[in-house]
Amino acid sequence: MDRRPRPGGGKPKNRRPRAYTDRRHTSPGKHHQQEFARTGRIRADRKMLGRIGWVTILCVIFAFLPVVAMLANLMLVHHEEYARLALDNQTRVTGITASRGTIYDRNMNVMAVSTSVETVFLDPLELDKYKDDRKVTLNELADYLAGLLDKDPQWIREQAGDITMRYKVIATKQDRTVTDQIRAYISENEIIGIHMEPDSKRVYPYSTLAAQLIGFTNASNQGAEGVEARYNRYLEGTAGKVITTKGNYETVMPYSYEKYYEASDGNSVVLTIDTTIQYYLEKNMEEAVSKYDVQNGAFGLVMNAKTGEILAMATLGSYDPNNYLEILDEDTRNMLNAMKLTYQLQPEGTAAYDNAKAAYTDALVSARLAQWRNRVVSDGYEPGSTFKIITMAAALEEGTTTAQDSFYCAGEKMYAGRTKPLHCWQHNGHGSQTTFQALQNSCNLALADIGLKLGGETFYTYVRDFGLMEATGVGLSGEASGYFFDEDIFTTPGASGYDAAVIASSFGQTFTVTPIQLVRAIAAVVNGGYLMQPYVVSEILDDGGNVVESNEPTVIRQVISEQTSQTMRQMILSVVEEGTAKNARIAGYAIGGKTGTAEKTGQVDAEGNAVEDKIVSFVGIAPMDDPEYIVLVALDTPSKETGIYISGGVMAAPTVRGVLEDILPYMGVPRDYSQVDMSTVEVTMPDLMGLSETEAAKLLTDESLRYRTVGSGTAVTGQIPAPGSSVPGTSQVILYMGEDAPSDLVAVPDFSGMTISQANKVATEAGLYILVKGANTDSRNVIATGQDIAPEILVVPGTIIRVDFTDQTAQD
């Protein structure tokens, strides 16, 4: 800037800088352009900042998407799963076992009951934490527990060594006698880390009795077979639980939470079964299996013909529900042990080892399933001649056959539709016979004629109406329905197979029924014609003893009339009195029944050849004037080696006779001796000691007994048989007058093969008595087949030997 003085001595005037002067004097257009440019730059900067912001936001969003996805997966998709896992990690649930309901027989005898037992478990963390405080080492502790609980010591050491866990079960279902010993050991050795908790165990007081009917519970206390399985939802109750909080390694938290849910005990089941009748049924079946060397067991049942109540149901061989995995049959057990040894002797890991072990495992599983199986409801079999009752009842009801008809049997007959003649079991033929005699003789040819006259379509209708094409609904698991021909075969006379099917069916062959189906059908024949609903459970009780549910006798339908039923009762009675079932006679009781012998068709041996095995059976009914009890026993494959003729009349009829001899007096059914040979009746020997001969004679006469005296005294000083013993009516009693009765023992003779008169003679010579059981006709065809006291056993004079006599002509 020019600072020089101006002329005139005045100060210089102030002047703005040029740059400023230039802006002031810039043109307006140019100024606006500059402002617009500046504003544009600002807007561009803002737009860039916006874009950067959005990019940043998007980056943040994309960065957090996996986190959001993970949270959604945790909180929405798998919420319940992770919530459950969290709850499991934070809480401990201890189960409280509900007391399973009791199973009773009809008289409230306990057949299955739950008892208190305990589970033994270890707390490995405690065992490790307090190891210095106890008096025994871990090895000593493991050895003690292993010996007491039948466990491997090394396995127990391994469980105790897992200190990441606080609950290691080492034994279940331990009785108090065992756990009390553990408690004493814990106290004595100051052990911390062994604990017990309550549980329940199923106990079956009657062991093998009615095993297939009752069934068993498995290790989880769930019903696995029989009534236990079928009524599990009633019996099991509702388990309770205790929920508590827990920390890491299941440690107790400072502020713990606990909630208790009480267990609800199960209901109890009352059966229609009578344990005494069940025992009598099984006892006689076991004796038959032994006597006739039966190869494949036996099955049987007792039913009330009026109500449908099952009083007994049995399958042999059996098992013990208390040890249901154990094979009870000795022969089967020995076979399995041999198979087990076979694979154990092979090098492990070889094909021979694997194959032998697989064979053993399969055989073991099959053996267990076989002994658990209730054949009365699960297995069909050919009923054979027992089915002739059904054919006859249908024919009489329809009027196609009458009681006055006659038939002729020449031993064989050629029928249309068959390629071979039909043979009767009596090869020489029965000759001319009435309708009654046709059933008495169990004549195949007569029943074939009766079936053809009835007609296939009507025959089929009666088979269906008698309930033989459907399960009975008895209330047990695994019930089968048998097998019968297709309806088309029976409704088209003249069609291929029609005649053959009707003929074979008329005498119970080429189709199958279950034992309970057959018994129900025959009960309908004799009870007035009513097909009843069979049942095995009478009541269900709550834990207070109140009735929750109950069953009552139920009529399904009436199949035949009362008149036809009455005629059939007379016929069935005559089969025992005069026909093939004479071996079922019981003195003082009116017994009816029908024998059956059926070949097991379709059965082959290991080489694929057809076998000639037979199932022999008998259905017995008593008392025939008012039928109430119906008994079926079937013996599967009696052995030929016994030398006894294989038939229902020879083997099964005496077995059922034994059952009825036991149960009828037990059930209070009175005997009627008015028309009975008293020599077949047991009477009780009175006490005659000290009486005069006159006084003794009167008492003996009242009991249908004879006597003779030894000695000349005035009073009885000895007697044979002894007072209180059973003796056959009309037997001769020996009274010793003034003398002592002999005390020397005598050997029991072997009466096998003798007739009644021969056996009586031998017994008298030995100073013994025999009581005739079964067939009581003194004939060369009626021979002794068994006795209750074995030969050569020494007994006192006057002992009574019960001898079974069998009519060998009863060959059906």
Side-chain angles (χ1 to χ4, degrees):
M1 178 181 296
D2 186 5
R3 298 289 184 182
R4 288 176 302 171
R6 292 186 173 270
K11 294 182 180 178
K13 293 181 180 180
N14 292 331
R15 300 179 67 183
R16 294 182 183 275
R18 188 173 297 275
Y20 176 78
T21 302
D22 292 342
R23 277 197 307 273
R24 278 184 60 187
H25 297 282
T26 303
S27 65
K30 186 174 182 180
H31 174 72
H32 287 309
Q33 288 177 358
Q34 291 175 345
E35 286 296 323
F36 181 79
R38 186 171 63 87
T39 303
R41 285 195 300 272
I42 293 172
R43 288 177 179 173
D45 290 343
R46 288 177 179 173
K47 201 175 285 187
M48 179 62 69
L49 288 174
R51 289 173 182 168
I52 292 173
W54 279 112
V55 170
T56 303
I57 292 171
L58 289 175
C59 289
V60 171
I61 291 173
F62 282 115
F64 278 90
L65 272 178
V67 176
V68 172
M70 182 180 294
L71 290 173
N73 183 55
L74 290 173
M75 301 174 66
L76 300 176
V77 179
H78 293 97
H79 169 75
E80 293 184 3
E81 178 184 353
Y82 288 114
R84 176 180 56 79
L85 291 173
L87 189 63
D88 288 345
N89 284 332
Q90 298 166 23
T91 59
R92 174 191 293 149
V93 178
T94 303
I96 302 175
T97 304
S99 180
R100 192 174 178 86
T102 301
I103 299 177
Y104 299 97
D105 83 337
R106 67 188 299 113
N107 300 313
M108 301 307 288
N109 294 309
V110 175
M111 303 192 76
V113 64
S114 292
T115 60
S116 295
V117 291
E118 292 182 280
T119 296
V120 183
F121 69 94
L122 304 179
D123 184 333
L125 191 62
E126 282 186 343
L127 285 171
D128 182 68
K129 182 177 180 180
Y130 300 104
K131 61 185 175 183
D132 295 333
D133 297 337
R134 61 175 180 258
K135 297 179 180 180
V136 292
T137 65
L138 182 60
N139 287 339
E140 290 172 331
L141 183 152
D143 290 340
Y144 175 80
L145 291 177
L148 191 61
L149 302 173
D150 192 24
K151 301 290 183 180
D152 179 16
Q154 179 58 32
W155 177 80
I156 292 181
R157 282 190 284 272
E158 290 173 358
Q159 304 309 302
D162 185 5
I163 62 173
T164 62
M165 298 299 295
R166 306 230 22 207
Y167 186 82
K168 286 283 190 175
V169 174
I170 59 172
T172 60
K173 311 292 184 184
Q174 297 301 306
D175 294 330
R176 191 64 183 263
T177 54
V178 174
T179 55
D180 280 349
Q181 293 181 61
I182 297 176
R183 285 187 177 90
Y185 184 76
I186 292 171
S187 177
E188 179 183 349
N189 295 285
E190 300 177 4
I191 300 171
I192 299 176
I194 302 176
H195 304 280
M196 273 77 69
E197 61 184 3
D199 195 0
S200 64
K201 176 183 177 182
R202 204 64 165 166
V203 175
Y204 302 90
Y206 288 93
S207 186
T208 61
L209 191 76
Q212 289 86 0
L213 173 67
I214 300 298
F216 58 87
T217 57
N218 58 25
S220 302
N221 261 351
Q222 295 295 302
E225 292 286 340
V227 170
E228 291 275 30
R230 181 61 182 265
Y231 294 89
N232 185 69
R233 66 188 180 95
Y234 295 100
L235 290 163
E236 67 176 344
T238 303
K241 57 185 176 181
V242 177
I243 302 176
T244 56
T245 54
K246 66 180 180 179
N248 289 338
Y249 305 111
E250 301 192 3
T251 56
V252 177
M253 298 180 69
Y255 304 99
S256 62
Y257 160 86
E258 179 174 293
K259 188 169 183 61
Y260 179 81
Y261 295 90
E262 186 175 3
S264 176
D265 291 343
N267 294 327
S268 293
V269 172
V270 182
L271 304 180
T272 59
I273 298 297
D274 186 308
T275 51
T276 301
I277 295 178
Q278 182 76 28
Y279 166 74
Y280 288 143
L281 174 63
E282 293 191 21
K283 179 197 74 171
N284 285 279
M285 288 170 59
E286 288 169 357
E287 291 173 354
V289 167
S290 175
K291 181 176 181 178
Y292 305 121
D293 191 19
V294 178
Q295 301 299 298
N296 297 321
F299 49 87
L301 75 155
V302 182
M303 189 176 88
N304 187 313
K306 296 178 179 178
T307 65
E309 294 171 284
I310 304 299
L311 303 176
M313 182 182 291
T315 300
L316 302 181
S318 193
Y319 70 99
D320 184 352
N322 294 296
N323 299 289
Y324 59 88
L325 295 177
E326 179 183 348
I327 303 300
L328 203 61
D329 180 71
E330 185 176 359
D331 291 339
T332 303
R333 193 167 60 248
N334 291 338
M335 180 268 291
L336 288 169
N337 288 337
M339 294 181 70
K340 186 176 183 180
L341 181 61
T342 298
Y343 87 75
Q344 289 177 335
L345 291 175
Q346 302 296 326
E348 191 169 351
T350 63
Y353 175 91
D354 293 340
N355 292 337
K357 186 175 182 179
Y360 163 75
T361 302
D362 290 344
L364 178 62
V365 171
S366 296
R368 285 173 176 166
L369 292 175
Q371 70 176 12
W372 299 340
R373 190 174 183 83
N374 187 344
R375 298 180 66 181
V376 174
V377 298
S378 297
D379 286 7
Y381 76 110
E382 287 192 7
S385 294
T386 55
F387 188 80
K388 292 172 181 176
I389 291 176
I390 305 300
T391 304
M392 185 68 78
L396 291 176
E397 178 71 11
E398 288 297 308
T400 56
T401 296
T402 69
Q404 291 72 43
D405 288 348
S406 61
F407 304 88
Y408 184 80
C409 172
E412 67 174 44
K413 183 176 180 179
M414 191 67 193
Y415 287 91
R418 289 179 58 93
T419 57
K420 296 180 180 179
L422 175 65
H423 294 276
C424 187
W425 68 266
Q426 179 63 272
H427 300 301
N428 295 326
H430 294 107
S432 181
Q433 51 191 344
T434 65
T435 304
F436 268 68
Q437 290 172 330
L439 193 62
Q440 292 168 15
N441 296 331
S442 195
C443 179
N444 288 347
L445 302 186
L447 266 295
D449 291 339
I450 290 170
L452 289 171
K453 288 173 64 179
L454 178 62
E457 187 171 357
T458 305
F459 192 120
Y460 189 92
T461 299
Y462 274 95
V463 172
R464 183 187 61 218
D465 289 350
F466 273 113
L468 295 168
M469 296 182 187
E470 61 189 9
T472 66
V474 66
L476 291 171
S477 300
E479 185 180 6
S481 57
Y483 165 78
F484 199 71
F485 292 93
D486 291 336
E487 186 174 5
D488 292 345
I489 296 176
F490 273 72
T491 55
T492 313
S496 176
Y498 171 86
D499 292 297
V502 173
I503 290 169
S505 299
S506 67
F507 47 81
Q509 293 186 5
T510 66
F511 67 93
T512 64
V513 296
T514 63
I516 195 168
Q517 282 181 312
L518 182 65
V519 166
R520 177 174 73 157
I522 294 178
V525 171
V526 299
N527 70 6
Y530 300 99
L531 188 73
M532 303 300 297
Q533 172 64 59
Y535 59 102
V536 74
V537 171
S538 61
E539 292 178 332
I540 295 176
L541 311 176
D542 65 18
D543 55 5
N546 304 303
V547 177
V548 177
E549 292 184 20
S550 63
N551 286 321
E552 299 292 340
T554 303
V555 176
I556 297 175
R557 69 182 72 92
Q558 185 170 10
V559 186
I560 59 174
S561 66
E562 172 59 46
Q563 182 179 356
T564 300
S565 180
Q566 182 177 358
T567 302
M568 287 302 303
R569 290 197 292 270
Q570 296 170 356
M571 279 190 174
I572 293 169
L573 174 64
S574 74
V575 174
V576 174
E577 296 296 325
E578 306 174 52
T580 59
K582 295 186 184 74
N583 296 322
R585 291 176 180 169
I586 302 175
Y589 288 121
I591 306 296
K594 185 68 191 74
T595 56
T597 305
E599 295 182 356
K600 296 169 69 174
T601 56
Q603 301 281 330
V604 295
D605 58 21
E607 286 73 37
N609 301 315
V611 299
E612 297 180 356
D613 294 346
K614 296 178 180 179
I615 293 181
V616 299
S617 61
F618 181 72
V619 178
I621 306 151
M624 285 309 296
D625 55 344
D626 185 21
E628 187 163 2
Y629 305 106
I630 178 166
V631 181
L632 165 68
V633 168
L635 309 175
D636 190 348
T637 316
S639 173
K640 299 178 181 178
E641 304 302 320
T642 63
I644 301 173
Y645 188 84
I646 298 176
S647 76
V650 172
M651 295 175 168
T655 305
V656 172
R657 181 197 73 221
V659 176
L660 290 170
E661 275 186 311
D662 287 332
I663 70 174
L664 293 177
Y666 166 72
M667 296 303 290
V669 180
R671 291 179 184 256
D672 180 7
Y673 292 125
S674 60
Q675 298 180 349
V676 173
D677 177 2
M678 290 302 295
S679 66
T680 64
V681 178
E682 290 185 63
V683 298
T684 301
M685 183 68 190
D687 186 354
L688 307 173
M689 298 296 287
L691 300 181
S692 67
E693 180 180 345
T694 302
E695 292 170 330
K698 182 179 185 308
L699 289 178
L700 292 173
T701 300
D702 290 343
E703 297 294 340
S704 302
L705 296 171
R706 300 173 293 116
Y707 75 95
R708 66 182 176 90
T709 60
V710 175
S712 56
T714 58
V716 177
T717 54
Q719 65 181 80
I720 294 178
S725 59
S726 296
V727 61
T730 74
S731 295
Q732 186 180 70
V733 176
I734 303 175
L735 301 179
Y736 291 88
M737 312 298 292
E739 297 185 11
D740 292 332
S743 57
D744 295 339
L745 299 179
V746 298
V748 175
D750 184 353
F751 298 106
S752 298
M754 296 183 184
T755 63
I756 292 176
S757 58
Q758 290 169 340
N760 268 318
K761 182 175 182 296
V762 170
T764 301
E765 291 172 351
L768 303 172
Y769 297 87
I770 67 166
L771 181 66
V772 175
K773 311 292 286 185
N776 58 5
T777 303
D778 191 9
S779 160
R780 63 184 180 87
N781 294 317
V782 178
I783 60 173
T785 56
Q787 56 194 80
D788 67 340
I789 301 179
E792 303 304 321
I793 296 293
L794 296 178
V795 297
V796 298
T799 298
I800 294 90
I801 316 297
R802 293 169 179 80
V803 182
D804 290 325
F805 287 89
T806 303
D807 186 344
Q808 299 299 302
T809 63
Q811 297 183 356
D812 184 54

